Amino acid sequence: MTAHRILSWSPSAIVFDCDGTLMDTERHWQEARNLTFRAFGLKPPAGFADRAKGMHYTECGALMAEETGKPGLVGELTDTLLSTFTTLVDQDPVTMPGAASLVRLASRHRPLAVASNCPREMVESCLYRAGLLDCFGHVVVAGGEVRPKPEPDVYAVAARLCGVPPEEALAVEDSLTGMESARRAGLRVIGIGPCPPGPEAEKADLWVASLADGELLSWARTRIGE
């Protein structure tokens, strides 16, 4: 475990994932996937939610089509997935525990960015409704030449826009896909959630149960809020 790489260090910039890290939207993705499967008369394959976590929505739509043997429905599944998710989030935007207080503390002392696989309008709408959008100098999303996670692009671009080398930036992530992206871009990583067994544990330098973790908050007050 490399927790000392975080706890004994002060980042020059912080890049947050949005889904499942700042905003409690993973449940919305789960419901949107289930509703989309149902709308086309399809049954979710066993373990699909785990395989889809952290995926770009276009990749998720393609996986839905592949795993249900309906390759001709890729476009329709993808469009329905996104529109269903957008509706669900608009109805019930909720921040993750500890996210708002940590972001507001950090924004007073460091440049912040968001790196997400979600569409820009969705990320900005969620953060705006949560009262957090103004805390971020940059919102980087996949699209065009910026490849989605697990490719390193969104994190590499976010660090550059914050004006710091990747090795001086911290990524905050809840998905292994996102952690791989940040790690490949050269950032140090805080992982949110239970530490997985085996090699996947090394995708984050420090694991915390949530952004309300006491050790994390103490570190943030002394190493960021200085």
Side-chain angles (χ1 to χ4, degrees):
M1 187 59 64
T2 55
H4 68 278
R5 279 172 47 85
I6 302 294
L7 297 176
S8 62
W9 173 68
S10 295
S12 297
I14 306 175
V15 185
F16 290 84
D17 169 57
C18 187
D19 267 16
T21 297
L22 296 176
M23 303 300 299
D24 186 8
T25 47
E26 184 55 38
R27 60 196 174 94
H28 293 320
W29 277 120
Q30 176 65 55
E31 186 175 359
R33 290 190 292 261
N34 289 339
L35 290 172
T36 299
F37 277 126
R38 195 176 308 152
F40 288 85
L42 303 173
K43 183 178 179 181
F48 185 85
D50 291 334
R51 292 189 293 278
K53 186 174 182 180
M55 272 190 171
H56 190 264
Y57 74 94
T58 57
E59 295 177 340
C60 184
L63 187 65
M64 294 171 81
E66 176 188 343
E67 294 201 3
T68 55
K70 302 290 184 180
L73 292 179
V74 172
E76 293 176 77
L77 285 166
T78 300
D79 291 345
T80 301
L81 175 65
L82 180 58
S83 62
T84 304
F85 172 74
T86 300
T87 299
L88 293 171
V89 172
D90 190 58
Q91 293 171 348
D92 185 26
V94 178
T95 56
M96 295 295 289
S101 58
L102 178 60
V103 165
R104 290 183 178 123
L105 168 66
S107 69
R108 295 195 294 269
H109 304 278
R110 299 289 190 276
L112 305 186
V114 171
S116 177
N117 271 354
C118 285
R120 177 178 299 277
E121 60 271 20
M122 177 57 56
V123 174
E124 293 184 347
S125 175
C126 284
L127 295 175
Y128 175 78
R129 293 192 64 181
L132 297 177
L133 183 59
D134 289 345
C135 294
F136 295 94
H138 309 282
V139 174
V140 180
V141 300
E145 295 183 357
V146 180
R147 297 169 296 175
K149 306 170 188 178
E151 300 298 332
D153 300 23
V154 288
Y155 276 104
V157 171
R160 176 172 56 79
L161 290 174
C162 286
V164 305
E167 62 269 19
E168 294 183 13
L170 170 68
V172 184
E173 265 284 356
D174 75 304
S175 76
L176 294 173
T177 299
M179 293 174 207
E180 180 180 346
S181 171
R183 179 73 73 194
R184 290 172 62 185
L187 284 71
R188 303 189 197 191
V189 182
I190 288 178
I192 303 169
C195 180
E200 289 184 335
E202 297 178 7
K203 289 190 175 182
D205 297 290
L206 173 69
W207 289 87
V208 295
S210 78
L211 294 182
D213 177 85
E215 185 178 35
L216 177 65
L217 293 176
S218 176
W219 169 81
R221 293 188 188 105
T222 57
R223 294 283 180 169
I224 297 175
E226 53 189 12

